[in-house]
Amino acid sequence: MNASLQTVSTPADRPLRADARRNRERILAAAQVEFARSGGDAQMDAIAAGAGVGVGTVYRHFPTKDALVAQLIRARFEQFVATAHAALEVEDPWEAFAGFMRANAQHCAQDVGTQFMFLQAGPELAPTLARETGLLDLSQQLIDRGQRAGVLRADFAADDIGMIMCGVASAMHHGSAHWDWQRHLGFVLDGLRARPA
Amino acid sequence: MNASLQTVSTPADRPLRADARRNRERILAAAQVEFARSGGDAQMDAIAAGAGVGVGTVYRHFPTKDALVAQLIRARFEQFVATAHAALEVEDPWEAFAGFMRANAQHCAQDVGTQFMFLQAGPELAPTLARETGLLDLSQQLIDRGQRAGVLRADFAADDIGMIMCGVASAMHHGSAHWDWQRHLGFVLDGLRARPA
DNA sequence: CTTGAAGATGAATGTCGGTTCCGTTTCTGC
DNA sequence: GCAGAAACGGAACCGACATTCATCTTCAAG
């Protein structure tokens, strides 16, 4: 499985029939639940069952499993975008940036499907989505603020965010007794803070 | 697949026949190559072919694919142990620690199989092996030195190392154009350095 | 050199899980 | 209401792999 970026035909090609729209939502919800439960390898049958729907219906909405995953990921990125907007409202430039990172990590922690995304999805999916959804720009703004204020190290770049989130996600994915992703993120954030000198 | 810790019957149960020992080595080598090439999902047939051997032979040496993977991982941990010993010889406490981390990451970078291990193997495998091989103790010594010298943050623990390596490995695993695991590790190491105040 | 045990072989087996297909059911515009 | 399009259902299909097994080969002790 290699979740490439299949543009799911969500665009209002034709206004979906009422029941179809309902099912579509159910499927996405069930997929999220199922991915969370199984830790990344949910089965189409299970997703269909969870949505109270036949497999065929799942395939009517998403031509392939990858397409379904891609849609989940896209939705998550839209959440990231919202978080970024919120962060830009925060006064303190460091807290704005750090809070953004923490909030995103928190979202990942609550949805194993997203961790799955960072760990298993095609390498280009995350960067591409970040660009397409505008997340990259927003992140850049947060970074610029931090760097202008001298609280964020100057050599940090927007592209690094994905890499770091990926690393943090992998820590939470394992959930080994001693592994605490919040510690991990804390270490990294401390590393990103500008050094006094 | 869930590489639990199957103690492969390497122990000199009975001195393997000469050709058998040779094949065993070939299989391990081929497995490493094959995992590296395929990015973590090597097939038994491919491994057998790479070793110039029939599949049955692979199964004669390793009862299951997991057992084979476990053996590869165990070997890698022995390499880590060697690195740790070398690091303990280094004068500067910070360089000893940081060099240890960098060297291990480097080893991972050269062998996708190891990245696979950190990312896919059962959550308990790494911690368990770290204990069994003595790596945990050695790491602790490196950490103690750093903390006594005041160059390593006081709240860092040996258990954190696996988590961090896991994160770094996940970054290199994707190898997205903009993702550079050395940057990632650099950020983290900066975060681990004791703050002046 | 013989011989039997250890080892090797690879086609065949079994399972798992994504995807397809077509008969049936449910909407919705008229 | 009705017709026809849209959607649904889920058994069946199919490829991909890990694993097995009956048979053949090679080593090494005596």
Side-chain angles (χ1 to χ4, degrees):
Chain A
M1 172 144 89
N2 189 349
S4 306
L5 39 152
Q6 325 214 8
T7 307
V8 179
S9 55
T10 326
D13 293 320
R14 276 141 222 290
L16 279 173
R17 228 169 71 177
D19 56 341
R21 192 187 325 279
R22 188 167 51 245
N23 278 336
R24 188 188 161 83
E25 292 314 313
R26 276 193 193 159
I27 290 167
L28 284 168
Q32 199 158 327
V33 168
E34 210 51 44
F35 272 114
R37 162 152 56 216
S38 61
D41 31 352
Q43 281 145 252
M44 291 302 259
D45 284 355
I47 292 171
V53 139
V55 228
T57 302
V58 176
Y59 278 92
R60 160 160 288 271
H61 288 278
F62 304 95
T64 191
K65 190 178 181 180
D66 282 354
L68 173 55
V69 171
Q71 185 55 40
L72 286 176
I73 294 177
R74 186 171 293 267
R76 182 47 42 105
F77 263 81
E78 271 148 25
Q79 196 173 17
F80 289 163
V81 167
T83 307
H85 276 121
L88 281 168
E89 300 300 312
V90 174
E91 297 288 330
D92 182 61
W94 174 256
E95 261 318 303
F97 172 77
F100 171 64
M101 297 292 280
R102 283 196 212 95
N104 286 346
Q106 191 68 50
H107 286 145
C108 289
Q110 282 163 355
D111 172 11
V112 186
T114 307
Q115 299 166 31
F116 170 73
M117 154 189 93
F118 277 121
L119 301 178
Q120 309 281 98
E124 294 307 334
L125 183 54
T128 301
L129 277 178
R131 220 173 307 118
E132 284 183 17
T133 59
L135 183 60
L136 201 65
D137 279 341
L138 292 167
S139 307
Q140 191 61 59
Q141 291 180 41
L142 281 164
I143 291 171
D144 285 345
R145 274 185 64 193
Q147 288 175 338
R148 265 200 305 274
V151 293
L152 181 60
R153 59 189 292 163
D155 63 345
F156 187 72
D159 284 326
D160 294 324
I161 291 184
M163 179 172 68
I164 283 167
M165 292 302 295
C166 179
V168 173
S170 77
M172 53 179 80
H173 187 68
H174 284 73
S176 170
H178 300 297
W179 291 9
D180 174 359
W181 65 265
Q182 310 207 39
R183 275 174 74 76
H184 188 176
L185 182 57
F187 294 153
V188 177
L189 285 177
D190 280 352
L192 296 182
R193 203 155 195 161
R195 293 263 143 187
Chain B
M1 175 144 87
N2 189 348
S4 306
L5 40 152
Q6 325 213 7
T7 306
V8 179
S9 55
T10 326
D13 293 321
R14 279 142 219 292
L16 279 173
R17 228 170 68 178
D19 56 342
R21 190 184 329 277
R22 188 168 51 246
N23 279 336
R24 187 189 162 83
E25 293 313 312
R26 276 193 193 158
I27 289 166
L28 283 168
Q32 199 157 326
V33 169
E34 209 52 43
F35 272 115
R37 162 153 54 215
S38 62
D41 31 354
Q43 283 145 250
M44 292 302 258
D45 285 352
I47 292 171
V53 140
V55 228
T57 303
V58 175
Y59 279 92
R60 161 162 289 273
H61 288 277
F62 304 95
T64 190
K65 189 177 180 179
D66 282 354
L68 173 54
V69 171
Q71 186 54 41
L72 286 176
I73 294 177
R74 186 171 294 268
R76 182 47 43 105
F77 263 82
E78 271 148 26
Q79 197 174 14
F80 290 161
V81 167
T83 306
H85 276 122
L88 281 168
E89 300 301 313
V90 174
E91 297 290 328
D92 182 59
W94 174 257
E95 260 320 303
F97 172 76
F100 171 64
M101 298 292 279
R102 282 196 214 97
N104 286 346
Q106 190 69 50
H107 286 144
C108 288
Q110 281 162 357
D111 173 12
V112 185
T114 307
Q115 300 166 30
F116 171 74
M117 153 190 94
F118 277 120
L119 301 178
Q120 310 281 99
E124 294 306 334
L125 183 53
T128 302
L129 277 178
R131 220 174 305 118
E132 283 183 18
T133 59
L135 183 61
L136 200 64
D137 279 341
L138 292 166
S139 307
Q140 190 62 60
Q141 290 179 43
L142 281 164
I143 292 171
D144 285 345
R145 274 185 65 195
Q147 287 173 338
R148 266 200 305 274
V151 293
L152 180 60
R153 58 190 291 163
D155 62 345
F156 188 72
D159 283 327
D160 294 325
I161 291 183
M163 179 172 69
I164 283 167
M165 292 301 295
C166 180
V168 174
S170 77
M172 54 179 78
H173 187 68
H174 285 73
S176 168
H178 300 296
W179 292 8
D180 175 358
W181 64 265
Q182 309 208 40
R183 275 175 74 75
H184 188 179
L185 181 58
F187 294 151
V188 177
L189 285 177
D190 280 352
L192 296 182
R193 203 154 197 163
R195 292 264 144 183

